[in-house]
Structures are given as C-alpha cells and as structure tokens.
Amino acid sequence: MGINVFRVRELVNTLPNDPSKPSANPIRNMHFPGAGVGGHCLPKDPWLLKYGVDTYGKFVVEPSVIVKSRELNLWMPTHMANLVEEGLKVCGREEEGAKIAILGVAFMENSDDTRNTPSKTIYELLMRRGAKPVLHDPYVQDFDLPISNDLHEAITSADAIVIVTKHNEYLNLDLRVIKDKMRTPLLVDGRDVYKKSVCEKVGFLYLGVGKPH
C-alpha cells in the first residue's frame, strides 16, 4: 500500500491502557516486520494451538488469525527473494548468475542458533531462480549449507546485499567501502538496519521490508 509499517508501529504503540486516561502508559507492542520467523517456538506453537482447538475443542472454530499469521510469516522469505529480483531489474542486472551476499544465518541476532532460519529458505529460492547466493555469519560455524565468516569475501563483486539477521556486526558498516567492493549497489534490508535516505546518499538502491519503494 506504500505505507511505512515502522511508522504505523510507532503510532500503534502509543495507544494508552485506558482510553479515558490519555496519560496512561502505552501497553501495545506491535512486532517488527522482518525477513522471516525462525527458532523453535514461533514456527511450531501456533500449529500446536490449532491442533488443540481442532482435536479437543467443544465446538468447531477456525483460528483464522493464527493460520493467516503463520502463512504470512512463511511467505516473508519469498518476499525477500522478490525484492532482490525487483532490485536487480531496476539496476539492469540479470538474476541469472548474480552474486547475492546474504548477511545473517542465525535466526536471532548475536547468536549462532540456526533453527528454522529464514536465511536457508531465501538461499534456496535464489538458487532456484538462477542466482548465486553466498551466506555470511560471524557467529555460525556449522551449517548444512556453505557459509563464510569473511565479510570481505562475501560482499566482494556482489550484486546485492540481503540483511536477514540484525547482528551487531552489521549495524555500522561503512557503506561507502561496502559499495566500492560490490559489482551492483543493491541493498535489501530485512531488519530495518539502515535508513533508506542514508543508503541512497551513498549510491545504493535500497529496498526494505515494510517500507514503501
């Protein structure tokens, strides 16, 4: 819809406890949109709740919010891959053979936990579309796909950088230096790490989850 979801979140989170008391402390905590949901609990527990409702409920009910939420979460890696494809087209670069540096393999920032990580789905989608994705993570040593711990190696001659995990190491990258090492200056931000205006000033095409473009 061309709306900045992060601004919507900011406004939603200002809603007070009691509408009759404007000074009441906010209690809302709308979640951040992102590249996908990983870990052990969130991908599993909603389906367990649905199973419990379906199996042991005293009357028929369709937990549609739970189902649609999980479907949307499962789709986010596809959305990320679509943003990469869109950005490459704008840059005049074919997806076939494009080197894509995926930054972050752990599902959670500053950890090495890769359970149900969306990075794997993004990697596999890009591979099927003919791209050449490269995974980078400063924490993960053991993974079932090739992975690099050398950021320089991952971004050199890359046609896109895709931020999937909000590791501290990715928060303050020298974008000018990064851009000079890349073949195509495309940055797809899946965790709201950088401001669009800052990236564009350096010369990047910036596309971000939850942000109009």
Side-chain angles (χ1 to χ4, degrees), residues 36-41 43-44 107 113-121:
V37 173
H40 179 64
C41 300
K44 168 182 63 68
F107 86 89
D113 195 335
T114 61
R115 290 175 296 175
N116 295 307
T117 174
S119 293
K120 182 177 182 179
T121 306

Side-chain angles (χ1 to χ4, degrees), residues 46 50 132:
K50 182 181 184 306
K132 295 181 178 179

